[in-house]
Amino acid sequence: MGRERLAQYALDSPAGRQALDSGLSGAQWFHSEVPRKRLKELMARSDGPAIRDTVIWVGLMVVCAAAGGVLWVHGHPWAAVPLLLVYGVLYGSGGDSRWHEAGHGTAFRTRWMDTAVYQLACFMMMRDPTAYRWGHTRHHTDTLIVGRDPEIQAMRPARLVRMLANLFGLYDVPVSLGKMLLHAAGRLTTDEADTIPEQERFRTYRTARLWSLVYAATLATAVVTSSWLPLLLVGGPRMYGTFMHIVYGLTQHAGLGENVLDHRLNTRSVRMNVVNRFLYWNMNFHVEHHMFPMVPYHRLPELHEQIKGDLAPMYPSIWAAYRELVPAVLRQLKDQSYYVRRDLPPGAAPYYEPAVAVPPSL
């Protein structure tokens, strides 16, 4: 039963076709009421905050990589470990949120800056910029709609071994490298063929061929110099520094509702400290982001204040979110119909639950 249900998450599964036929896919979602003038203010893009954050992000990576590299080549690898770990987290976890925000085109006002950060972050996270832009668009259109959303991490039943392995990239990295080689050969996966328009596919092939050259050069440098350092600086952080992006990412939707049309039922917002918010680029305001994805990351705290009367209280910490999501995911191993449903505050707009026919197999 579990394997049969997991098969429904594929984008070419009967569940996806049923979601389209039933009106569940591409349906109208709930949005809190925000005055038009205020929403326009919140959606205004600005270069300043993203330039500041990007200079800090890239600057820290350069300093940590340079200092760690000097210690490594001078025979002090253990002294280099803390610096390389910081570098790795900035690369393999901080890169995820930069990929996400720049992919929305909202981080910067100036287009080329946004594109530059997006391309860099895509390389760091081993995500083809074309494929993932189209896939993430589908994630927002059909959030946690089974058979339509290509980004569901915590399926029902959850693939626990894969989730734990991904704390060190042990599943995602081999899959990403396999896709890169597939793309370099001019081919796509079935799910990618379902989301990437025909006229955009050449970009995916071109990117894969360029990245293959970069990784091949990195590997050759490591072999010639008989040193792990090149791999620790390029590609390697996607494994040893990726754990925080997994920790953050699971708080978004794990244990919450599938096949619903209200982001308050399938998305979490979690309070985080300043370091985590910097790494995560305010994506802890995730309900707010899904309701209004064109609001830049640095305006999300203001958006939260604007609509918090409609939302269940933010989880006070990452730990609090995990205290809820871990038992929920474990319960879903046996009961795939279960999900967390939180109470809304007095006066909030009720949950939006239209009479959309959910496919019976789900």
Side-chain angles (χ1 to χ4, degrees):
M1 178 64 182
R3 289 186 179 181
E4 291 177 2
R5 193 178 196 284
L6 286 175
Q8 297 297 305
Y9 289 91
L11 300 191
D12 61 345
S13 71
R17 294 189 290 274
Q18 291 168 346
L20 284 167
D21 293 341
S22 69
L24 188 62
S25 174
Q28 181 67 42
W29 287 75
F30 170 82
H31 294 88
S32 292
E33 293 294 328
V34 178
R36 185 172 180 176
K37 181 179 179 181
R38 178 57 176 155
L39 184 58
K40 188 175 180 180
E41 291 173 354
L42 291 168
M43 290 173 61
R45 300 175 191 179
S46 174
D47 287 335
I51 289 175
R52 176 201 64 210
D53 290 345
T54 301
V55 167
I56 295 171
W57 177 56
V58 173
L60 285 171
M61 282 195 293
V62 169
V63 168
C64 289
V70 168
L71 289 169
W72 187 282
V73 299
H74 283 84
H76 305 289
W78 291 111
V81 166
L83 290 164
L84 292 176
L85 180 59
V86 173
Y87 169 79
V89 171
L90 290 165
Y91 181 130
S93 292
D96 175 67
S97 55
R98 274 69 183 171
W99 159 81
H100 178 269
E101 283 302 285
H104 275 280
T106 58
F108 297 83
R109 182 177 181 179
T110 302
R111 185 67 178 174
W112 72 262
M113 295 182 184
D114 209 274
T115 299
V117 170
Y118 181 63
Q119 292 289 334
L120 174 62
C122 281
F123 174 76
M124 295 163 75
M125 299 307 297
M126 299 182 178
R127 295 172 182 164
D128 174 73
T130 303
Y132 273 88
R133 192 186 294 275
W134 286 99
H136 194 66
T137 298
R138 174 75 68 81
H139 170 65
H140 273 272
T141 302
D142 291 333
T143 308
L144 268 67
I145 302 299
V146 177
R148 294 293 294 169
D149 184 351
E151 294 186 8
I152 300 177
Q153 289 181 291
M155 300 178 179
R156 303 186 200 169
R159 298 166 296 181
L160 296 179
V161 173
R162 182 183 298 186
M163 290 165 65
L164 292 173
N166 268 336
L167 289 168
F168 305 99
L170 296 177
Y171 178 83
D172 280 353
V173 170
V175 168
S176 295
L177 291 175
K179 285 183 180 180
M180 183 184 71
L181 295 176
L182 184 72
H183 298 160
R187 298 166 59 195
L188 300 173
T189 67
T190 301
D191 283 1
E192 289 169 337
D194 188 72
T195 56
I196 305 175
E198 186 78 36
Q199 66 272 19
E200 293 288 317
R201 295 178 184 181
F202 78 95
R203 302 181 191 276
T204 294
Y205 307 146
R206 181 182 62 193
T207 297
R209 289 159 188 161
L210 175 60
W211 287 7
S212 296
L213 291 174
V214 174
Y215 284 120
T218 301
L219 181 59
T221 302
V223 171
V224 169
T225 61
S226 299
S227 173
W228 287 98
L229 185 60
L231 298 175
L232 292 173
L233 296 177
V234 179
R238 182 61 179 84
M239 299 185 75
Y240 74 82
T242 202
F243 56 93
M244 286 307 299
H245 113 71
I246 299 297
V247 169
Y248 298 147
L250 288 174
T251 67
Q252 295 175 1
H253 306 290
L256 299 178
E258 293 176 341
N259 297 322
V260 296
L261 296 175
D262 191 326
H263 291 113
R264 299 172 297 174
L265 287 169
N266 67 11
T267 310
R268 283 185 189 84
S269 288
V270 183
R271 293 199 182 278
M272 295 184 183
N273 63 37
V274 64
V275 173
N276 287 320
R277 282 179 57 185
F278 173 77
L279 281 172
Y280 201 27
W281 249 16
N282 277 353
M283 277 301 99
N284 53 300
F285 293 97
H286 214 64
V287 177
E288 296 83 350
H289 168 68
H290 266 274
M291 276 197 196
F292 300 99
M294 298 313 293
V295 173
Y297 76 95
H298 57 88
R299 305 299 297 271
L300 290 177
E302 295 176 67
L303 176 60
H304 171 75
E305 291 301 317
Q306 184 75 39
I307 66 174
K308 65 182 181 181
D310 274 343
L311 311 180
M314 286 185 76
Y315 294 79
S317 65
I318 296 174
W319 173 246
Y322 271 85
R323 286 181 62 187
E324 176 185 88
L325 77 84
V326 169
V329 168
L330 293 177
R331 180 170 173 179
Q332 288 172 349
L333 296 175
K334 294 183 178 180
D335 179 5
Q336 282 89 52
S337 65
Y338 174 76
Y339 69 93
V340 174
R341 184 186 176 100
R342 302 182 74 203
D343 292 332
L344 296 172
Y351 283 124
Y352 176 59
E353 298 177 282
V356 174
V358 178
S361 63
L362 303 182

PDB file of all heavy atoms in Angstrom, residues 307-339:
ATOM      1  N   ILE A 307      -0.945  40.315   8.035  1.00  0.00           N
ATOM      2  CA  ILE A 307      -1.960  39.264   7.892  1.00  0.00           C
ATOM      3  C   ILE A 307      -2.007  38.293   9.067  1.00  0.00           C
ATOM      4  O   ILE A 307      -2.759  37.315   9.019  1.00  0.00           O
ATOM      5  CB  ILE A 307      -1.734  38.466   6.587  1.00  0.00           C
ATOM      6  CG1 ILE A 307      -0.423  37.674   6.642  1.00  0.00           C
ATOM      7  CG2 ILE A 307      -1.757  39.381   5.373  1.00  0.00           C
ATOM      8  CD1 ILE A 307      -0.217  36.745   5.440  1.00  0.00           C
ATOM      9  N   LYS A 308      -1.250  38.555  10.131  1.00  0.00           N
ATOM     10  CA  LYS A 308      -1.147  37.560  11.212  1.00  0.00           C
ATOM     11  C   LYS A 308      -2.480  37.269  11.887  1.00  0.00           C
ATOM     12  O   LYS A 308      -2.640  36.211  12.504  1.00  0.00           O
ATOM     13  CB  LYS A 308      -0.129  38.013  12.253  1.00  0.00           C
ATOM     14  CG  LYS A 308      -0.483  39.267  13.011  1.00  0.00           C
ATOM     15  CD  LYS A 308       0.630  39.643  13.986  1.00  0.00           C
ATOM     16  CE  LYS A 308       0.290  40.886  14.787  1.00  0.00           C
ATOM     17  NZ  LYS A 308       1.394  41.249  15.712  1.00  0.00           N
ATOM     18  N   GLY A 309      -3.456  38.155  11.756  1.00  0.00           N
ATOM     19  CA  GLY A 309      -4.769  37.891  12.334  1.00  0.00           C
ATOM     20  C   GLY A 309      -5.480  36.721  11.691  1.00  0.00           C
ATOM     21  O   GLY A 309      -6.407  36.145  12.290  1.00  0.00           O
ATOM     22  N   ASP A 310      -5.061  36.348  10.483  1.00  0.00           N
ATOM     23  CA  ASP A 310      -5.649  35.207   9.783  1.00  0.00           C
ATOM     24  C   ASP A 310      -4.873  33.910   9.999  1.00  0.00           C
ATOM     25  O   ASP A 310      -5.299  32.857   9.532  1.00  0.00           O
ATOM     26  CB  ASP A 310      -5.689  35.478   8.273  1.00  0.00           C
ATOM     27  CG  ASP A 310      -6.938  36.233   7.843  1.00  0.00           C
ATOM     28  OD1 ASP A 310      -7.909  36.273   8.618  1.00  0.00           O
ATOM     29  OD2 ASP A 310      -6.925  36.779   6.728  1.00  0.00           O
ATOM     30  N   LEU A 311      -3.722  33.997  10.651  1.00  0.00           N
ATOM     31  CA  LEU A 311      -2.814  32.854  10.717  1.00  0.00           C
ATOM     32  C   LEU A 311      -2.763  32.238  12.107  1.00  0.00           C
ATOM     33  O   LEU A 311      -2.879  32.949  13.113  1.00  0.00           O
ATOM     34  CB  LEU A 311      -1.392  33.285  10.331  1.00  0.00           C
ATOM     35  CG  LEU A 311      -1.220  34.102   9.051  1.00  0.00           C
ATOM     36  CD1 LEU A 311       0.255  34.423   8.844  1.00  0.00           C
ATOM     37  CD2 LEU A 311      -1.785  33.359   7.848  1.00  0.00           C
ATOM     38  N   ALA A 312      -2.561  30.937  12.146  1.00  0.00           N
ATOM     39  CA  ALA A 312      -2.212  30.307  13.424  1.00  0.00           C
ATOM     40  C   ALA A 312      -0.881  30.909  13.884  1.00  0.00           C
ATOM     41  O   ALA A 312      -0.066  31.331  13.060  1.00  0.00           O
ATOM     42  CB  ALA A 312      -2.088  28.799  13.253  1.00  0.00           C
ATOM     43  N   PRO A 313      -0.640  30.984  15.201  1.00  0.00           N
ATOM     44  CA  PRO A 313       0.605  31.597  15.681  1.00  0.00           C
ATOM     45  C   PRO A 313       1.838  30.932  15.077  1.00  0.00           C
ATOM     46  O   PRO A 313       1.858  29.717  14.861  1.00  0.00           O
ATOM     47  CB  PRO A 313       0.547  31.374  17.199  1.00  0.00           C
ATOM     48  CG  PRO A 313      -0.910  31.215  17.508  1.00  0.00           C
ATOM     49  CD  PRO A 313      -1.502  30.527  16.311  1.00  0.00           C
ATOM     50  N   MET A 314       2.875  31.743  14.802  1.00  0.00           N
ATOM     51  CA  MET A 314       4.129  31.179  14.325  1.00  0.00           C
ATOM     52  C   MET A 314       4.692  30.220  15.362  1.00  0.00           C
ATOM     53  O   MET A 314       4.556  30.449  16.571  1.00  0.00           O
ATOM     54  CB  MET A 314       5.146  32.295  14.067  1.00  0.00           C
ATOM     55  CG  MET A 314       4.891  33.126  12.829  1.00  0.00           C
ATOM     56  SD  MET A 314       6.231  34.324  12.516  1.00  0.00           S
ATOM     57  CE  MET A 314       7.510  33.243  11.847  1.00  0.00           C
ATOM     58  N   TYR A 315       5.317  29.152  14.909  1.00  0.00           N
ATOM     59  CA  TYR A 315       6.019  28.269  15.830  1.00  0.00           C
ATOM     60  C   TYR A 315       7.155  29.065  16.466  1.00  0.00           C
ATOM     61  O   TYR A 315       7.877  29.787  15.755  1.00  0.00           O
ATOM     62  CB  TYR A 315       6.565  27.055  15.087  1.00  0.00           C
ATOM     63  CG  TYR A 315       5.469  26.156  14.553  1.00  0.00           C
ATOM     64  CD1 TYR A 315       4.786  26.493  13.388  1.00  0.00           C
ATOM     65  CD2 TYR A 315       5.097  24.991  15.220  1.00  0.00           C
ATOM     66  CE1 TYR A 315       3.764  25.688  12.897  1.00  0.00           C
ATOM     67  CE2 TYR A 315       4.090  24.175  14.731  1.00  0.00           C
ATOM     68  CZ  TYR A 315       3.416  24.534  13.568  1.00  0.00           C
ATOM     69  OH  TYR A 315       2.405  23.731  13.086  1.00  0.00           O
ATOM     70  N   PRO A 316       7.339  28.978  17.765  1.00  0.00           N
ATOM     71  CA  PRO A 316       8.318  29.847  18.427  1.00  0.00           C
ATOM     72  C   PRO A 316       9.767  29.508  18.130  1.00  0.00           C
ATOM     73  O   PRO A 316      10.653  30.312  18.428  1.00  0.00           O
ATOM     74  CB  PRO A 316       8.009  29.659  19.916  1.00  0.00           C
ATOM     75  CG  PRO A 316       7.335  28.314  20.007  1.00  0.00           C
ATOM     76  CD  PRO A 316       6.561  28.178  18.733  1.00  0.00           C
ATOM     77  N   SER A 317      10.042  28.344  17.546  1.00  0.00           N
ATOM     78  CA  SER A 317      11.421  27.946  17.275  1.00  0.00           C
ATOM     79  C   SER A 317      11.429  26.769  16.310  1.00  0.00           C
ATOM     80  O   SER A 317      10.391  26.125  16.072  1.00  0.00           O
ATOM     81  CB  SER A 317      12.131  27.530  18.569  1.00  0.00           C
ATOM     82  OG  SER A 317      11.524  26.356  19.106  1.00  0.00           O
ATOM     83  N   ILE A 318      12.600  26.468  15.756  1.00  0.00           N
ATOM     84  CA  ILE A 318      12.751  25.275  14.919  1.00  0.00           C
ATOM     85  C   ILE A 318      12.428  24.030  15.737  1.00  0.00           C
ATOM     86  O   ILE A 318      11.761  23.110  15.258  1.00  0.00           O
ATOM     87  CB  ILE A 318      14.189  25.197  14.355  1.00  0.00           C
ATOM     88  CG1 ILE A 318      14.465  26.383  13.412  1.00  0.00           C
ATOM     89  CG2 ILE A 318      14.409  23.876  13.621  1.00  0.00           C
ATOM     90  CD1 ILE A 318      15.899  26.456  12.928  1.00  0.00           C
ATOM     91  N   TRP A 319      12.896  24.011  16.980  1.00  0.00           N
ATOM     92  CA  TRP A 319      12.641  22.870  17.865  1.00  0.00           C
ATOM     93  C   TRP A 319      11.145  22.641  18.046  1.00  0.00           C
ATOM     94  O   TRP A 319      10.671  21.496  17.998  1.00  0.00           O
ATOM     95  CB  TRP A 319      13.311  23.104  19.203  1.00  0.00           C
ATOM     96  CG  TRP A 319      12.989  22.079  20.256  1.00  0.00           C
ATOM     97  CD1 TRP A 319      12.299  22.281  21.415  1.00  0.00           C
ATOM     98  CD2 TRP A 319      13.334  20.685  20.253  1.00  0.00           C
ATOM     99  NE1 TRP A 319      12.199  21.108  22.128  1.00  0.00           N
ATOM    100  CE2 TRP A 319      12.820  20.120  21.439  1.00  0.00           C
ATOM    101  CE3 TRP A 319      14.027  19.876  19.352  1.00  0.00           C
ATOM    102  CZ2 TRP A 319      12.986  18.765  21.742  1.00  0.00           C
ATOM    103  CZ3 TRP A 319      14.179  18.517  19.661  1.00  0.00           C
ATOM    104  CH2 TRP A 319      13.665  17.990  20.843  1.00  0.00           C
ATOM    105  N   ALA A 320      10.378  23.722  18.225  1.00  0.00           N
ATOM    106  CA  ALA A 320       8.935  23.587  18.400  1.00  0.00           C
ATOM    107  C   ALA A 320       8.288  23.004  17.145  1.00  0.00           C
ATOM    108  O   ALA A 320       7.369  22.177  17.239  1.00  0.00           O
ATOM    109  CB  ALA A 320       8.316  24.950  18.730  1.00  0.00           C
ATOM    110  N   ALA A 321       8.755  23.416  15.983  1.00  0.00           N
ATOM    111  CA  ALA A 321       8.212  22.873  14.740  1.00  0.00           C
ATOM    112  C   ALA A 321       8.495  21.380  14.637  1.00  0.00           C
ATOM    113  O   ALA A 321       7.622  20.589  14.245  1.00  0.00           O
ATOM    114  CB  ALA A 321       8.803  23.612  13.547  1.00  0.00           C
ATOM    115  N   TYR A 322       9.709  20.969  15.011  1.00  0.00           N
ATOM    116  CA  TYR A 322      10.057  19.550  14.932  1.00  0.00           C
ATOM    117  C   TYR A 322       9.326  18.716  15.969  1.00  0.00           C
ATOM    118  O   TYR A 322       9.044  17.530  15.736  1.00  0.00           O
ATOM    119  CB  TYR A 322      11.574  19.365  15.033  1.00  0.00           C
ATOM    120  CG  TYR A 322      12.233  19.425  13.683  1.00  0.00           C
ATOM    121  CD1 TYR A 322      12.586  20.644  13.115  1.00  0.00           C
ATOM    122  CD2 TYR A 322      12.464  18.268  12.945  1.00  0.00           C
ATOM    123  CE1 TYR A 322      13.163  20.713  11.853  1.00  0.00           C
ATOM    124  CE2 TYR A 322      13.039  18.312  11.692  1.00  0.00           C
ATOM    125  CZ  TYR A 322      13.382  19.543  11.142  1.00  0.00           C
ATOM    126  OH  TYR A 322      13.939  19.598   9.888  1.00  0.00           O
ATOM    127  N   ARG A 323       9.002  19.299  17.103  1.00  0.00           N
ATOM    128  CA  ARG A 323       8.222  18.565  18.104  1.00  0.00           C
ATOM    129  C   ARG A 323       6.850  18.208  17.557  1.00  0.00           C
ATOM    130  O   ARG A 323       6.236  17.231  18.005  1.00  0.00           O
ATOM    131  CB  ARG A 323       8.077  19.416  19.373  1.00  0.00           C
ATOM    132  CG  ARG A 323       9.358  19.491  20.199  1.00  0.00           C
ATOM    133  CD  ARG A 323       9.136  20.317  21.452  1.00  0.00           C
ATOM    134  NE  ARG A 323       8.120  19.725  22.324  1.00  0.00           N
ATOM    135  CZ  ARG A 323       7.651  20.314  23.415  1.00  0.00           C
ATOM    136  NH1 ARG A 323       8.107  21.519  23.779  1.00  0.00           N
ATOM    137  NH2 ARG A 323       6.753  19.712  24.161  1.00  0.00           N
ATOM    138  N   GLU A 324       6.369  18.949  16.585  1.00  0.00           N
ATOM    139  CA  GLU A 324       5.092  18.624  15.966  1.00  0.00           C
ATOM    140  C   GLU A 324       5.265  17.753  14.723  1.00  0.00           C
ATOM    141  O   GLU A 324       4.565  16.758  14.545  1.00  0.00           O
ATOM    142  CB  GLU A 324       4.369  19.913  15.556  1.00  0.00           C
ATOM    143  CG  GLU A 324       3.060  19.648  14.801  1.00  0.00           C
ATOM    144  CD  GLU A 324       2.428  20.923  14.304  1.00  0.00           C
ATOM    145  OE1 GLU A 324       2.770  21.363  13.185  1.00  0.00           O
ATOM    146  OE2 GLU A 324       1.594  21.488  15.033  1.00  0.00           O
ATOM    147  N   LEU A 325       6.226  18.119  13.872  1.00  0.00           N
ATOM    148  CA  LEU A 325       6.294  17.448  12.573  1.00  0.00           C
ATOM    149  C   LEU A 325       6.830  16.023  12.664  1.00  0.00           C
ATOM    150  O   LEU A 325       6.405  15.151  11.884  1.00  0.00           O
ATOM    151  CB  LEU A 325       7.079  18.286  11.568  1.00  0.00           C
ATOM    152  CG  LEU A 325       8.610  18.356  11.603  1.00  0.00           C
ATOM    153  CD1 LEU A 325       9.252  17.193  10.883  1.00  0.00           C
ATOM    154  CD2 LEU A 325       9.078  19.674  10.978  1.00  0.00           C
ATOM    155  N   VAL A 326       7.763  15.754  13.591  1.00  0.00           N
ATOM    156  CA  VAL A 326       8.300  14.393  13.683  1.00  0.00           C
ATOM    157  C   VAL A 326       7.213  13.385  14.059  1.00  0.00           C
ATOM    158  O   VAL A 326       7.043  12.362  13.375  1.00  0.00           O
ATOM    159  CB  VAL A 326       9.498  14.329  14.658  1.00  0.00           C
ATOM    160  CG1 VAL A 326       9.881  12.885  14.947  1.00  0.00           C
ATOM    161  CG2 VAL A 326      10.693  15.084  14.073  1.00  0.00           C
ATOM    162  N   PRO A 327       6.431  13.620  15.139  1.00  0.00           N
ATOM    163  CA  PRO A 327       5.343  12.672  15.428  1.00  0.00           C
ATOM    164  C   PRO A 327       4.328  12.571  14.300  1.00  0.00           C
ATOM    165  O   PRO A 327       3.787  11.481  14.046  1.00  0.00           O
ATOM    166  CB  PRO A 327       4.703  13.252  16.701  1.00  0.00           C
ATOM    167  CG  PRO A 327       5.775  14.071  17.331  1.00  0.00           C
ATOM    168  CD  PRO A 327       6.548  14.659  16.193  1.00  0.00           C
ATOM    169  N   ALA A 328       4.066  13.697  13.614  1.00  0.00           N
ATOM    170  CA  ALA A 328       3.097  13.660  12.517  1.00  0.00           C
ATOM    171  C   ALA A 328       3.591  12.790  11.372  1.00  0.00           C
ATOM    172  O   ALA A 328       2.838  11.957  10.833  1.00  0.00           O
ATOM    173  CB  ALA A 328       2.831  15.085  12.015  1.00  0.00           C
ATOM    174  N   VAL A 329       4.852  12.943  10.993  1.00  0.00           N
ATOM    175  CA  VAL A 329       5.417  12.143   9.906  1.00  0.00           C
ATOM    176  C   VAL A 329       5.454  10.663  10.283  1.00  0.00           C
ATOM    177  O   VAL A 329       5.150   9.791   9.452  1.00  0.00           O
ATOM    178  CB  VAL A 329       6.827  12.663   9.546  1.00  0.00           C
ATOM    179  CG1 VAL A 329       7.559  11.676   8.641  1.00  0.00           C
ATOM    180  CG2 VAL A 329       6.735  14.029   8.867  1.00  0.00           C
ATOM    181  N   LEU A 330       5.786  10.371  11.526  1.00  0.00           N
ATOM    182  CA  LEU A 330       5.802   8.973  11.972  1.00  0.00           C
ATOM    183  C   LEU A 330       4.397   8.381  11.976  1.00  0.00           C
ATOM    184  O   LEU A 330       4.199   7.216  11.603  1.00  0.00           O
ATOM    185  CB  LEU A 330       6.433   8.878  13.365  1.00  0.00           C
ATOM    186  CG  LEU A 330       7.925   9.214  13.452  1.00  0.00           C
ATOM    187  CD1 LEU A 330       8.403   9.145  14.899  1.00  0.00           C
ATOM    188  CD2 LEU A 330       8.750   8.278  12.570  1.00  0.00           C
ATOM    189  N   ARG A 331       3.415   9.162  12.388  1.00  0.00           N
ATOM    190  CA  ARG A 331       2.028   8.677  12.373  1.00  0.00           C
ATOM    191  C   ARG A 331       1.564   8.402  10.947  1.00  0.00           C
ATOM    192  O   ARG A 331       0.812   7.455  10.692  1.00  0.00           O
ATOM    193  CB  ARG A 331       1.119   9.696  13.056  1.00  0.00           C
ATOM    194  CG  ARG A 331      -0.345   9.300  13.095  1.00  0.00           C
ATOM    195  CD  ARG A 331      -1.148  10.218  13.981  1.00  0.00           C
ATOM    196  NE  ARG A 331      -2.567   9.959  13.902  1.00  0.00           N
ATOM    197  CZ  ARG A 331      -3.506  10.611  14.585  1.00  0.00           C
ATOM    198  NH1 ARG A 331      -3.141  11.571  15.433  1.00  0.00           N
ATOM    199  NH2 ARG A 331      -4.777  10.311  14.439  1.00  0.00           N
ATOM    200  N   GLN A 332       2.034   9.216  10.005  1.00  0.00           N
ATOM    201  CA  GLN A 332       1.632   9.035   8.605  1.00  0.00           C
ATOM    202  C   GLN A 332       2.202   7.771   7.972  1.00  0.00           C
ATOM    203  O   GLN A 332       1.749   7.366   6.909  1.00  0.00           O
ATOM    204  CB  GLN A 332       2.059  10.261   7.785  1.00  0.00           C
ATOM    205  CG  GLN A 332       1.224  11.500   8.083  1.00  0.00           C
ATOM    206  CD  GLN A 332       1.763  12.750   7.423  1.00  0.00           C
ATOM    207  OE1 GLN A 332       2.874  12.754   6.892  1.00  0.00           O
ATOM    208  NE2 GLN A 332       0.981  13.808   7.455  1.00  0.00           N
ATOM    209  N   LEU A 333       3.186   7.155   8.622  1.00  0.00           N
ATOM    210  CA  LEU A 333       3.688   5.881   8.114  1.00  0.00           C
ATOM    211  C   LEU A 333       2.594   4.822   8.087  1.00  0.00           C
ATOM    212  O   LEU A 333       2.570   3.949   7.226  1.00  0.00           O
ATOM    213  CB  LEU A 333       4.862   5.385   8.977  1.00  0.00           C
ATOM    214  CG  LEU A 333       6.131   6.238   8.980  1.00  0.00           C
ATOM    215  CD1 LEU A 333       7.138   5.653   9.975  1.00  0.00           C
ATOM    216  CD2 LEU A 333       6.740   6.317   7.586  1.00  0.00           C
ATOM    217  N   LYS A 334       1.655   4.929   9.049  1.00  0.00           N
ATOM    218  CA  LYS A 334       0.561   3.963   9.128  1.00  0.00           C
ATOM    219  C   LYS A 334      -0.781   4.564   8.698  1.00  0.00           C
ATOM    220  O   LYS A 334      -1.647   3.855   8.192  1.00  0.00           O
ATOM    221  CB  LYS A 334       0.448   3.426  10.557  1.00  0.00           C
ATOM    222  CG  LYS A 334       1.649   2.609  11.001  1.00  0.00           C
ATOM    223  CD  LYS A 334       1.438   2.056  12.406  1.00  0.00           C
ATOM    224  CE  LYS A 334       2.622   1.196  12.838  1.00  0.00           C
ATOM    225  NZ  LYS A 334       2.436   0.648  14.216  1.00  0.00           N
ATOM    226  N   ASP A 335      -0.942   5.864   8.932  1.00  0.00           N
ATOM    227  CA  ASP A 335      -2.212   6.522   8.612  1.00  0.00           C
ATOM    228  C   ASP A 335      -1.940   7.674   7.654  1.00  0.00           C
ATOM    229  O   ASP A 335      -1.651   8.791   8.069  1.00  0.00           O
ATOM    230  CB  ASP A 335      -2.865   7.034   9.904  1.00  0.00           C
ATOM    231  CG  ASP A 335      -4.192   7.747   9.647  1.00  0.00           C
ATOM    232  OD1 ASP A 335      -4.657   7.768   8.481  1.00  0.00           O
ATOM    233  OD2 ASP A 335      -4.749   8.316  10.616  1.00  0.00           O
ATOM    234  N   GLN A 336      -2.024   7.400   6.354  1.00  0.00           N
ATOM    235  CA  GLN A 336      -1.700   8.422   5.359  1.00  0.00           C
ATOM    236  C   GLN A 336      -2.756   9.515   5.233  1.00  0.00           C
ATOM    237  O   GLN A 336      -2.550  10.506   4.544  1.00  0.00           O
ATOM    238  CB  GLN A 336      -1.464   7.780   3.988  1.00  0.00           C
ATOM    239  CG  GLN A 336      -0.099   7.138   3.845  1.00  0.00           C
ATOM    240  CD  GLN A 336      -0.098   5.685   4.283  1.00  0.00           C
ATOM    241  OE1 GLN A 336      -0.924   4.902   3.821  1.00  0.00           O
ATOM    242  NE2 GLN A 336       0.823   5.316   5.153  1.00  0.00           N
ATOM    243  N   SER A 337      -3.884   9.350   5.902  1.00  0.00           N
ATOM    244  CA  SER A 337      -4.914  10.392   5.860  1.00  0.00           C
ATOM    245  C   SER A 337      -4.682  11.469   6.922  1.00  0.00           C
ATOM    246  O   SER A 337      -5.293  12.534   6.880  1.00  0.00           O
ATOM    247  CB  SER A 337      -6.299   9.772   6.076  1.00  0.00           C
ATOM    248  OG  SER A 337      -6.404   9.225   7.396  1.00  0.00           O
ATOM    249  N   TYR A 338      -3.767  11.214   7.868  1.00  0.00           N
ATOM    250  CA  TYR A 338      -3.558  12.147   8.977  1.00  0.00           C
ATOM    251  C   TYR A 338      -2.695  13.327   8.548  1.00  0.00           C
ATOM    252  O   TYR A 338      -1.742  13.189   7.775  1.00  0.00           O
ATOM    253  CB  TYR A 338      -2.865  11.441  10.144  1.00  0.00           C
ATOM    254  CG  TYR A 338      -2.485  12.406  11.259  1.00  0.00           C
ATOM    255  CD1 TYR A 338      -3.438  12.896  12.135  1.00  0.00           C
ATOM    256  CD2 TYR A 338      -1.166  12.855  11.380  1.00  0.00           C
ATOM    257  CE1 TYR A 338      -3.091  13.795  13.131  1.00  0.00           C
ATOM    258  CE2 TYR A 338      -0.811  13.751  12.374  1.00  0.00           C
ATOM    259  CZ  TYR A 338      -1.782  14.226  13.243  1.00  0.00           C
ATOM    260  OH  TYR A 338      -1.440  15.130  14.219  1.00  0.00           O
ATOM    261  N   TYR A 339      -3.058  14.501   9.053  1.00  0.00           N
ATOM    262  CA  TYR A 339      -2.166  15.660   8.950  1.00  0.00           C
ATOM    263  C   TYR A 339      -2.499  16.635  10.060  1.00  0.00           C
ATOM    264  O   TYR A 339      -3.596  16.613  10.640  1.00  0.00           O
ATOM    265  CB  TYR A 339      -2.259  16.336   7.575  1.00  0.00           C
ATOM    266  CG  TYR A 339      -3.572  17.053   7.276  1.00  0.00           C
ATOM    267  CD1 TYR A 339      -3.735  18.414   7.551  1.00  0.00           C
ATOM    268  CD2 TYR A 339      -4.627  16.376   6.658  1.00  0.00           C
ATOM    269  CE1 TYR A 339      -4.911  19.067   7.248  1.00  0.00           C
ATOM    270  CE2 TYR A 339      -5.811  17.029   6.351  1.00  0.00           C
ATOM    271  CZ  TYR A 339      -5.953  18.381   6.643  1.00  0.00           C
ATOM    272  OH  TYR A 339      -7.122  19.029   6.344  1.00  0.00           O
TER     273      TYR A 339
END
